């Protein structure tokens, strides 16, 4: 019953989970494009209104409770306290199943009230479907926490990828068949949400299979509970589990705020029901675009967080500070490139992905969320690695409250543009709080002005190049430029803009060879460094 304790195994496990998370996040971003193409803007609005509730469940069963259970299990297993291990899982099961039943009850029996609160009573059917996943998440959390505590990340990784694959297939298949059958868009949305149930069931089956193969001979004959320790364990699991969950919900909370009041505020401002649904659906086009940009940015910056935790344990401040600076620089490097690049090519990208250019101005503003969210996620990971679990959660909750309030101020006058601005302001406030906390703790300069100037100059030059390129390609003698031509402009613009930005940044001596070597695919970028910087 011992967990894996060597640093090599720990970093290998972290790498496995990172790859699995990368795959699932890419799938989660990409499937929304064909789904929107099948159901249209109103159908997309219906689905996205309820999606944040599912997003919360996913975080609970992936990043929250499995993490805290695995941490407590690893501690007890290292001390070889078999009785305490049994007690941990008995208490964890009791607490998490209660949380699951409460979540199910609120969403299922409160679905009508919630749907009315969101301004659309017909959403109740989707909420009832999602409620079922709350009954599955406790099983996922316990199995994943168990395997991760042992240092075996493969079952968790396989279950995450399997869950997402089955879910995506179910969503697209259900949407296609139900639309083809002439069903209402709310019924289509309910069918799509059923993908959360099928995906969850597959994940449970995968984990049970791994458990049967690996652990069937090590089950205890009886389990006893120490009620004296149970209360303390329950408090730790609930408080730390939810704190970790909240810290991972930054974008989900922004979407949840919009689900609760954006549509109703549009209606209150005098817009008709169907038009408001379509406007919200167009606004929601930004979610897959932003999510994909964040995945690219954070996959590189977060790869440094395990190194930061390692240097913290070694008590080596100089190395710790250098790794933190590098993580922030990478977050700014990729986040700024994705934000500014998308801002420039948003119109052809919108046509390529969603068939028309509706809402391109709104999506351009939402592209700012890539940079803000990337830095928030990176700094949250850094703070958690340094031992600060609760501060990031508090900052993100304040951001959620700010987003709700800003929507009520800006949406009546500015519509979905106001909602996009509200998201940007709320996340900017969260980012400033996190930076202040990190600055106070480290007492060092986090990012040099030289680096910020270099990133700003590279972003400006990329914008100039992209605008010239888009204007030049628009002059090509194409009779009826449509979706294919927009796709050509967008994809070639990504390549041209990305190369321009990275060339200027790396030729400006902003990174050293040994720093790039720490990053995924960093060795592939070394040819852009000045010759005198290479060794």
């Amino acid at each position: 019953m011992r967990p894996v304790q060597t640093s090599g195994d720990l970093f290998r496990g972290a790498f496995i989970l990172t790859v699995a998370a990368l795959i699932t996040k890419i799938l989660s971003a990409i499937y929304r494009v064909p789904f929107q193409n099948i159901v249209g803007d109103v159908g997309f609005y219906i689905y996205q209104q309820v999606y944040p509730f599912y997003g919360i469940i996913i975080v609970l069963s992936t990043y929250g409770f499995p993490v805290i259970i695995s941490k407590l299990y690893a501690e007890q297993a290292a001390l070889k306290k078999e009785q305490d291990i049994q007690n941990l899982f008995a208490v964890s099961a009791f607490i998490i199943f209660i949380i699951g039943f409460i979540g199910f009850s609120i969403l299922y029996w409160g679905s009508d009230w919630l749907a009315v609160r969101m301004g659309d009573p017909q959403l109740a059917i989707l909420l009832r479907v999602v409620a079922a996943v709350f009954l599955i998440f406790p099983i996922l959390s316990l199995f994943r926490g168990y395997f991760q505590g042992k240092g075996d990340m493969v079952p968790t990784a396989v279950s995450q990828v399997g869950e997402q694959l089955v879910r995506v297939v179910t969503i697209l298949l259900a949407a296609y068949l139900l639309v083809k059958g002439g069903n209402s868009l709310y019924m289509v949305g309910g069918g799509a949400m059923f993908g959360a149930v099928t995906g969850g069931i597959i994940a449970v089956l995968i984990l049970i299979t791994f458990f049967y193969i690996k652990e069937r001979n090590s089950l205890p004959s009886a389990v006893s509970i120490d009620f004296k320790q149970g209360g303390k364990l329950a408090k730790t699991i609930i408080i730390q589990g939810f704190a970790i969950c909240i810290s991972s919900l930054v974008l989900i909370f922004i979407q949840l705020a919009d689900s609760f009041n954006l549509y109703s505020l549009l209606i209150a401002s005098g817009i008709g029901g169907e038009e408001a649904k379509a406007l919200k659906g167009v606004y929601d086009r930004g979610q897959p675009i932003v999510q994909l940009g964040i995945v690219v940015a954070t996959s590189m910056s977060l790869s440094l967080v395990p190194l930061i935790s390692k240097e913290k344990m070694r008590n080596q401040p100089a190395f710790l500070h250098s790794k933190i600076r590098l993580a922030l620089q990478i977050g700014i490097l990729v986040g700024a490139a994705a934000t500014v690049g998308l801002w420039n090519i948003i119109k052809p990208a919108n046509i390529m992905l969603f068939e028309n250019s509706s809402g391109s101005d709104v999506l351009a503003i939402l592209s700012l969320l890539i940079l803000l969210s990337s830095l928030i996620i990176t700094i949250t990971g850094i703070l958690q690695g340094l031992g600060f679990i609760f501060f990031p959660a508090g900052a993100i909750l304040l951001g959620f409250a700010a987003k709700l309030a800003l929507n009520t101020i800006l949406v009546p006058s500015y519509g979905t543009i106001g909602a996009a601005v509200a998201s940007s302001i709320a996340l900017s406030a969260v980012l400033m709080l996190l930076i202040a906390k990190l600055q106070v703790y480290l007492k060092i300069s986090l990012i040099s002005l030289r680096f910020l100037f270099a990133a700003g100059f590279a972003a400006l030059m990329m914008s100039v190049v992209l605008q010239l390129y888009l204007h030049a390609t628009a002059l090509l003698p194409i009779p009826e430029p449509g979706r294919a031509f927009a796709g050509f402009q967008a994809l070639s613009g990504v390549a041209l803009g990305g190369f321009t930005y990275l060339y200027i940044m790396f030729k400006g001596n902003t990174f050293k060879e040994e720093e790039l070597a720490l990053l995924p695919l960093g060795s592939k970028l070394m040819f852009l460094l000045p010759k005198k910087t290479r060794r």
Side-chain angles (χ1 to χ4, degrees):
M1 298 289 287
R2 285 188 191 175
V4 177
Q5 294 182 354
T6 66
S7 60
D9 286 326
L10 288 174
F11 282 107
R12 187 159 47 251
F15 175 75
I16 291 170
L17 286 184
T18 299
V19 171
L22 189 63
I23 294 170
T24 56
K25 287 175 181 176
I26 290 173
L27 284 171
S28 180
I30 289 176
Y31 83 85
R32 285 181 171 90
V33 174
F35 177 72
Q36 187 275 345
N37 291 179
I38 294 170
V39 302
D41 290 325
V42 174
F44 199 47
Y45 144 83
I46 292 167
Y47 177 82
Q48 282 294 131
Q49 281 291 90
V50 177
Y51 174 80
F53 295 98
Y54 170 71
I56 290 171
I57 301 172
I58 281 293
V59 170
L60 288 172
S61 62
T62 306
Y63 302 109
F65 292 111
V67 171
I68 189 61
I69 290 172
S70 66
K71 176 177 175 288
L72 294 172
Y73 170 63
E75 291 172 357
Q76 298 299 338
L79 298 173
K80 301 181 181 179
K81 293 185 176 181
E82 191 68 31
Q83 177 60 45
D84 288 346
I85 292 173
Q86 294 180 18
N87 196 52
L88 167 64
F89 280 99
V91 172
S92 298
F94 180 72
I95 293 298
I96 297 175
F97 272 101
I98 287 178
I99 292 170
F101 182 73
I102 291 172
F104 169 79
S105 300
I106 291 172
L107 273 190
Y108 190 84
W109 284 294
S111 58
D112 291 322
W113 179 85
L114 278 170
V116 171
R117 177 67 184 79
M118 295 161 72
D120 190 349
Q122 295 183 82
L123 294 172
I125 184 174
L126 282 80
L127 291 169
R128 284 194 283 270
V129 173
V130 173
V133 188
F134 262 114
L135 300 178
I136 300 172
F137 111 83
I139 305 171
L140 296 176
S141 298
L142 289 167
F143 275 119
R144 286 170 176 168
Y146 174 76
F147 283 117
Q148 287 170 220
K150 289 174 70 68
D152 186 358
M153 309 301 178
V154 173
T156 293
V158 174
S159 69
Q160 286 178 12
V161 175
E163 178 181 18
Q164 191 70 287
L165 278 172
V166 171
R167 175 175 163 262
V168 167
V169 170
T170 303
I171 288 170
L172 296 180
L173 189 61
Y176 174 76
L177 293 176
L178 290 172
V179 168
K180 189 177 180 181
N183 294 275
S184 75
L185 288 175
Y186 288 91
M187 185 64 69
V188 174
M193 277 298 166
F194 187 68
V197 179
T198 58
I201 291 172
I202 289 298
V204 168
L205 293 176
I206 289 171
L207 290 166
I208 289 175
T209 302
F210 272 108
F211 188 82
Y212 178 78
I213 293 171
K214 294 171 176 280
E215 308 292 338
R216 64 180 181 273
N217 296 323
S218 61
L219 290 172
S221 56
V223 176
S224 59
I225 302 177
D226 182 347
F227 290 98
K228 187 175 180 180
Q229 288 187 348
K232 184 179 178 181
L233 269 176
K235 183 179 178 182
T236 301
I237 291 167
I238 293 171
I239 295 176
Q240 293 192 21
F242 273 112
I244 294 170
C245 288
I246 291 168
S247 298
S248 304
L249 287 170
V250 56
L251 263 188
I252 296 295
F253 275 153
I254 293 296
Q255 294 178 55
L256 185 63
D258 285 325
S259 292
F260 271 118
N261 68 8
L262 176 52
Y263 172 71
S264 57
L265 287 169
L266 289 172
I267 293 291
S269 68
I271 297 174
E274 289 302 306
E275 183 183 353
K277 292 175 184 178
L279 285 172
K280 174 64 164 57
V282 170
Y283 173 87
D284 285 331
R285 293 180 184 184
Q287 298 306 328
I289 297 173
V290 169
Q291 187 173 342
L292 200 56
I294 292 171
V295 168
V296 174
T298 57
S299 64
M300 299 189 76
S301 61
L302 287 180
S303 66
L304 296 167
V305 171
L307 295 176
I308 291 168
S309 301
K310 183 179 178 182
E311 300 300 345
K312 172 71 163 52
M313 289 186 289
R314 287 180 173 180
N315 195 25
Q316 296 180 328
F319 288 104
L320 175 68
H321 296 165
S322 68
K323 298 299 183 295
I324 289 174
R325 284 196 186 98
L326 180 58
L328 293 176
Q329 287 177 343
I330 294 299
I332 293 171
L333 173 79
V334 185
T339 292
V340 177
L342 181 59
W343 186 295
N344 281 279
I345 65 165
I346 192 61
K347 186 175 180 179
N350 196 11
I351 297 171
M352 175 185 73
L353 296 173
F354 303 110
E355 302 179 286
N356 58 57
S357 62
S358 298
S360 293
D361 51 349
V362 177
L363 301 186
I365 297 172
L366 285 174
S367 66
L368 184 59
L369 270 59
I370 298 174
L371 175 60
L372 296 172
S373 298
S374 299
L375 288 174
I376 288 170
I377 293 168
T378 300
I379 297 175
T380 295
I382 292 170
L383 287 172
Q384 288 178 341
L386 295 173
F388 297 101
I389 296 176
F390 300 108
F391 186 86
I396 288 168
L397 284 176
L398 286 175
F400 174 60
K403 165 64 175 172
L404 282 170
L406 287 166
N407 268 5
T408 61
I409 297 170
L410 297 174
V411 171
S413 299
Y414 304 103
T416 51
I417 287 180
V421 172
S423 298
S424 300
I425 295 173
L427 289 186
S428 296
V430 173
L431 180 59
M432 286 189 287
L433 285 172
L434 296 178
I435 290 174
K437 178 64 175 179
L438 192 59
Q439 183 78 60
V440 168
Y441 175 75
L442 295 176
K443 297 181 176 65
I444 61 167
S445 173
L446 296 176
I447 297 293
S448 68
L449 289 176
R450 180 180 178 277
F451 179 85
L452 291 176
F453 176 80
F457 178 74
L460 177 62
M461 290 298 99
M462 176 174 65
S463 291
V464 171
V465 169
L466 284 175
Q467 287 301 316
L468 290 173
Y469 175 73
L470 291 174
H471 281 87
T473 53
L475 297 175
L476 292 174
I478 298 175
E480 295 182 5
R483 199 172 184 184
F485 180 70
F488 164 75
Q489 280 188 310
L491 295 176
S492 57
V494 167
L496 177 62
F499 179 80
T500 302
Y501 182 84
L502 292 177
Y503 183 84
I504 294 172
M505 283 296 291
F506 290 156
K507 289 297 182 182
N509 287 320
T510 49
F511 291 96
K512 299 176 183 177
E513 185 176 340
E514 57 267 27
E515 291 175 334
L516 288 182
L518 295 171
L519 303 174
L521 304 177
S523 60
K524 307 295 183 185
L525 299 173
M526 288 183 185
F527 76 96
L528 290 172
L529 293 173
K531 291 182 179 180
K532 63 180 181 180
T533 307
R534 298 182 222 171
R535 294 182 180 88

